[in-house]
């Protein structure tokens, strides 16, 4: 069944473009384009080409430090180049010269999650700063992977016999896995059992899901339900199997008094997840919605 989206031309264009972008293989998803499409929620007149050119310009500056040819002439790095030299050059441009940094005074500002605004203000949260690091690194010619630690996102570079972790939120600090474990313990303030998958690269879909989840929570906390609804639509396009998003979208439709849409999403959720732990709560919502629809008819 086709998804039901608001009849807004700008939103429809965003949905179509996002759906096309995430339709193929995970590794083929262009993270920068996806991030800019997400930003178009708040900035429908976004100049995506300009933002892309800003990423290209940052990469060219990194390559210039390394005395490498323009990537249009020779996109691949020489096989004998020292990886740490590339990482140091990335850090020099992004953190030394451009001073990209975390927005510690207004952490929950939605702009911290929008790549176009990050490129403009140089302020962001760990995941968008990591995405920036990955995208500039890709343009330089080095593969940087996203690492989704609990409560903190960073990146990593794979060496032949180990993985070096890099924290863009801390100015590109290099960390070992042992140091990452210590960081996790400080963040969660407990001796929780470490999970091996925490230290493995995330997929592109997982990274984008985390970006969208952050934004959804910010919008819900601000009672900005229309924006949260758009986020849910994008998340369902990204990962149609995530039933929790269909449930959340139903709740948002209910908040916005879109009763028929709310009824559709919540009944679909229970049909696909008949043993859901929140089944009783959702059934009460459905009962209430049906009563409201009956009174309106």
């Amino acid at each position: 069944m086709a998804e039901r989206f608001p009849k807004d031309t700008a939103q429809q264009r965003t949905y179509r473009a996002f759906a096309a972008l995430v339709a193929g293989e995970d590794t083929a998803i262009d993270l920068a384009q996806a991030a800019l499409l997400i930003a178009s929620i708040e900035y429908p007149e976004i100049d995506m080409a300009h933002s892309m050119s800003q990423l290209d310009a940052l990469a060219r500056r990194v390559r210039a430090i390394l005395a490498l040819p323009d990537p249009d002439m020779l996109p691949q790095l020489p096989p004998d180049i020292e990886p740490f030299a590339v990482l140091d050059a990335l850090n020099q441009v992004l953190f030394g010269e451009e001073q990209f940094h975390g927005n510690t005074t207004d952490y929950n500002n939605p702009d911290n999650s929008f790549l176009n605004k990050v490129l403009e203000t140089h302020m962001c949260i760990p995941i968008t700063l990591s995405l920036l690091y990955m995208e500039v690194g890709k343009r330089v010619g080095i593969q940087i992977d996203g690492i989704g630690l609990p409560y903190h996102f960073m990146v990593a570079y794979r060496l032949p016999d180990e993985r070096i972790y890099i924290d863009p939120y801390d100015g590109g600090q290099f960390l070992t896995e042992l140091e990452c474990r210590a960081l996790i313990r400080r963040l969660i303030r407990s001796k929780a059992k470490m999970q091996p998958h925490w230290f493995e690269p995330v997929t592109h879909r997982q990274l984008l899901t985390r970006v969208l989840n952050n934004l959804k929570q910010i919008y819900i906390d601000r009672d900005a339900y229309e924006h949260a609804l758009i986020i849910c639509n994008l998340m369902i396009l990204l990962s149609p199997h995530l039933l929790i998003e269909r449930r959340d979208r139903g709740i948002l439709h209910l908040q916005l008094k879109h009763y028929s849409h709310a009824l559709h999403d919540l009944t679909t959720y229970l049909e696909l997840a008949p043993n859901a732990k929140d089944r009783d709560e959702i059934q009460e919502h459905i009962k209430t919605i049906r009563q409201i629809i009956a009174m309106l008819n």
Side-chain angles (χ1 to χ4, degrees), residues 170-189:
D170 191 20
Q173 180 74 30
F174 297 151
L175 300 170
T176 64
E177 183 175 321
L178 189 62
E179 290 169 326
C180 289
R181 288 172 179 266
L183 173 62
I184 292 171
R185 288 194 176 94
R186 290 197 301 273
L187 290 172
I188 64 179
R189 298 179 182 178

Side-chain angles (χ1 to χ4, degrees), residues 227-272:
H227 281 68
L229 179 61
I230 298 171
I231 294 292
C232 276
N233 284 333
L234 292 176
M235 293 185 78
I236 291 170
L237 287 171
L238 180 65
S239 301
H241 64 282
L242 292 179
L243 297 182
I244 197 77
E245 296 307 322
R246 199 169 293 272
R247 180 204 67 184
D248 287 357
R249 188 174 69 177
I251 298 298
L252 288 167
H253 276 307
L254 178 57
Q255 289 283 353
L256 292 165
K257 301 182 180 180
H258 304 159
Y259 297 120
S260 61
H261 291 325
L263 182 62
H264 176 267
D265 275 338
L266 295 180
T267 53
T268 299
Y269 169 68
L270 288 187
E271 287 169 3
L272 297 174

